Amino acid sequence: MRIGINARFLLKNKLEGIGWFSYEILKELVQQQPEDEFIFFFDRPYDEQFIFASNITPVVLQPPARHPILFILWFEWSVARALKRYAVDVFFSPDNFCSLRTSTPTLLVVHDLAYLHFPEQVSRVNLKYYRYFMPRFIQKAERIVTVSNYTKQDMLTHFTVSPEKVAVACNGCRPEFQPLSEKEKNAIRVQYTEGKEYFF
């Protein structure tokens, strides 16, 4: 199988929430599926550290998609053409967005619908983009993965979508996140809460 991947959040020294999510998921996926071919679509020059295995073909598509107008150009033109050119069987997009102009079956990850609940925290142009495109992305995707039951229920509440289309796969954490010893916990409690119990 030839799998197209939206890899635009794999940015050297700039991995944040969705970037780390993409990094961990894609690293495991390509190594666990050595018989499949993966086409990683980047929106800028990529770093070799993100070519996790020999079954990856990296492709840079212009323009760099970091603004709603550029999102449209990248997903609806560059990605749509590349999926056809590379004869991709399925497209995996781990960052809430996908291409509406492709006939390639799409697996979309939706992390949250925060723009619906906190519109004041989103710029006007981004909010306009989300309000227009998110319902269409949700309809377009053949399958959707959410990272929590809350987001799945939120989606079912606000959009017309079959519950069977949406699966939940909760986030994990990287190996460096380990439980603290009791001594370390006590030292932190003394430092921040006068020794009292607390939770984060």
Side-chain angles (χ1 to χ4, degrees), residues 178-189 198:
Q178 297 290 327
L180 297 175
S181 69
E182 281 305 315
K183 184 177 180 181
E184 291 169 312
K185 289 179 191 176
N186 287 330
I188 291 169
R189 289 184 189 117
Y198 72 98

Side-chain angles (χ1 to χ4, degrees), residues 123-171:
S123 73
R124 195 163 58 184
V125 68
N126 283 343
L127 186 58
K128 205 169 181 180
Y129 178 88
Y130 291 137
R131 284 178 171 162
Y132 180 83
F133 280 98
M134 281 304 294
R136 288 164 174 80
F137 293 154
I138 288 166
Q139 289 304 313
K140 172 67 177 175
E142 272 67 25
R143 294 282 299 183
I144 297 170
V145 173
T146 64
V147 298
S148 68
N149 281 308
Y150 178 85
T151 298
K152 177 176 180 176
Q153 292 309 312
D154 207 15
M155 189 181 302
L156 297 177
T157 299
H158 289 93
F159 301 105
T160 304
V161 59
S162 167
E164 291 75 33
K165 179 175 171 175
V166 185
V168 176
C170 298
N171 289 327

